[in-house]
Amino acid sequence: QISTNGGTNYTSLLLIDGNNHVSSTSFANKSISLASYAGQNAIFKFVGTWGIGDYYLDIDNFLVSYPTVPNTATVVSPSNGG
């Protein structure tokens, strides 16, 4: 979840439940766009709710970063054609 008002309110960014959970012994990479929150301060939290049976919540290598911008160049011809 993400909060942009100091933790007063949170918005869910991703929900994994019994309908979309993939049982595995390996970590799964998840990527979430935060473009709509650009320029804002943010607080993140992870919420786990036990249902039934065994319960494991593993989080590893949490990273928030700016997207990389490819190097670009503009070729400008001289105005005198030379």
Side-chain angles (χ1 to χ4, degrees):
Q1 294 185 334
I2 187 171
S3 174
T4 56
N5 60 8
T8 302
N9 302 96
Y10 283 87
T11 301
S12 292
L13 297 171
L14 176 68
L15 174 66
I16 299 174
D17 61 16
N19 295 318
N20 63 2
H21 175 261
V22 177
S23 184
S24 174
T25 57
S26 300
F27 284 103
N29 292 325
K30 299 291 181 185
S31 180
I32 302 168
S33 173
L34 301 175
S36 61
Y37 302 98
Q40 301 179 63
N41 292 324
I43 299 171
F44 297 92
K45 74 175 180 177
F46 297 90
V47 178
T49 305
W50 178 80
I52 59 172
D54 291 339
Y55 181 84
Y56 301 97
L57 176 63
D58 298 314
I59 300 166
D60 190 24
N61 298 331
F62 177 74
L63 173 68
V64 177
S65 65
Y66 289 102
T68 57
V69 178
N71 293 329
T72 58
T74 302
V75 177
V76 179
S77 297
S79 60
N80 64 5

